[in-house]
Amino acid sequence: QHHMKIKLSMLIILLNFLSAISQNTEKINYAKTEIEVPNTYEIDRERSIIKNDSFSVHWLLQDKFSKNDRARLMKKACRLIDGKMITKIDFMSNGAKMSGKIYQLNADKGLKFQILASGIIDDLPLFLQLGFKSEPKSNADLDELMLKFISFN
């Protein structure tokens, strides 16, 4: 009897703890995958933007666009960047191959590096814009949320 009470109170504590943890994250769909976003990030659901002082991500589903329109959008986005291209970059995002370019922005502070990339995630063509404080070179430079959007082999 006493043993059951202890088990039950442990369970209640555990459930309270789990619900407290879950309050610290919000869920958002990235393509068709639900991801958890820590509450240290701001989320703009309408525009598919997640950001804080050290990282930003913005994606645009392009399933309604033709291949030509997707290429045109990519070129236009690249032209709008105030900075210089460092290199082409290939990475994985949510298990899918992405390719794009990394830029160093002409910014004194904030997110100084930006990656523009595209690929097909969950069968959906997607344009991805990532912002970083410093240039990401390996998975060690990335936190858990960042790794959901970009990881290196």
Side-chain angles (χ1 to χ4, degrees):
Q1 190 77 43
H2 181 64
H3 201 62
M4 274 305 287
K5 266 192 184 149
I6 290 173
K7 268 198 174 148
L8 189 62
S9 63
M10 285 300 283
L11 184 67
I12 289 166
I13 289 167
L14 183 67
L15 289 173
N16 285 339
F17 177 67
L18 289 175
S19 73
I21 291 178
S22 65
Q23 305 300 298
N24 294 333
T25 62
E26 257 191 272
K27 291 181 168 61
I28 191 168
N29 281 341
Y30 175 45
K32 295 175 189 164
T33 305
E34 190 179 69
I35 60 166
E36 287 199 356
V37 180
N39 64 4
T40 49
Y41 287 90
E42 263 176 71
I43 299 179
D44 177 342
R45 285 176 191 285
E46 246 162 65
R47 288 163 50 221
S48 300
I49 296 173
I50 300 170
K51 63 177 184 181
N52 71 6
D53 293 343
S54 54
F55 175 65
S56 73
V57 54
H58 174 211
W59 65 95
L60 181 65
L61 290 180
Q62 300 183 309
D63 45 329
K64 308 278 189 284
F65 295 18
S66 71
K67 225 179 173 140
N68 282 345
D69 285 343
R70 297 205 294 266
R72 215 172 296 146
L73 180 90
M74 186 59 142
K75 280 201 182 89
K76 188 178 177 184
C78 291
R79 272 203 308 272
L80 290 172
I81 283 194
D82 179 21
K84 64 176 199 304
M85 189 189 104
I86 301 174
T87 181
K88 290 189 166 171
I89 185 171
D90 291 308
F91 59 92
M92 300 299 283
S93 186
N94 198 26
K97 273 199 172 89
M98 299 290 277
S99 56
K101 296 171 181 171
I102 183 161
Y103 293 84
Q104 183 162 8
L105 305 182
N106 298 326
D108 297 334
K109 51 184 189 297
L111 305 178
K112 294 185 178 142
F113 292 86
Q114 201 161 63
I115 293 173
L116 296 184
S118 61
I120 306 228
I121 295 182
D122 298 334
D123 300 324
L124 296 169
L126 187 132
F127 169 77
L128 187 62
Q129 186 175 10
L130 301 161
F132 298 90
K133 258 191 162 153
S134 50
E135 187 183 349
K137 293 199 157 110
S138 74
N139 291 345
D141 301 329
L142 307 169
D143 72 18
E144 202 179 334
L145 179 70
M146 295 171 189
L147 284 166
K148 293 189 166 99
F149 295 98
I150 175 170
S151 63
F152 301 102
N153 290 344

